[in-house]
Amino acid sequence: MKLTIRLLLLFFLFSVGFSYAQEHGNATYYNKKMHGRRTSDGSRYHKDSLTCAHRTYPLGTLLKVRNPKNNKEVIVKVTDRGPHRRNLIIDLSYAAAKEIDIVRFGIAPVEISRVEAADAASAPNDSIALHERK
């Protein structure tokens, strides 16, 4: 009985830790040549959509990306796999990079956290990828 309670407590603490986990690292954005090409989820990339590429999050996951230098945030949808360079953790669409002001730098440090469905519903409509094009 004690072992079961300990395991449940450990599982609960472990799962709560993951829900608030953040990734820190460098981000970049898609270049102009990617515009119109297919992404891993089958849709076509459009530079004005708020999408991203991430190695491990499932396709369709909403992520909040924050620029710690200016505290600007954007919510993006994972539609592709990548980036394929070791020192990067996320590739953003041009619109998402512009929204958090990293376009002029090319590569910039960011913080990434997963957005739950309830949080996305309360977010402002202009910060979610509503105008994705397929």
Side-chain angles (χ1 to χ4, degrees), residues 65-114:
V65 181
R66 186 177 81 84
N67 183 344
K69 291 186 177 182
N70 59 17
N71 287 327
K72 291 185 178 183
E73 298 177 341
V74 66
I75 296 177
V76 294
K77 183 178 178 183
V78 178
T79 59
D80 206 2
R81 291 291 169 224
H84 302 290
R85 288 179 45 195
R86 183 177 289 191
N87 63 336
L88 300 173
I89 61 169
I90 194 168
D91 276 336
L92 298 171
S93 65
Y94 181 81
K98 190 173 178 181
E99 190 136 332
I100 62 172
D101 202 23
I102 68 168
V103 172
R104 63 182 158 182
F105 302 111
I107 296 176
V110 295
E111 295 174 357
I112 301 172
S113 58
R114 188 176 189 155

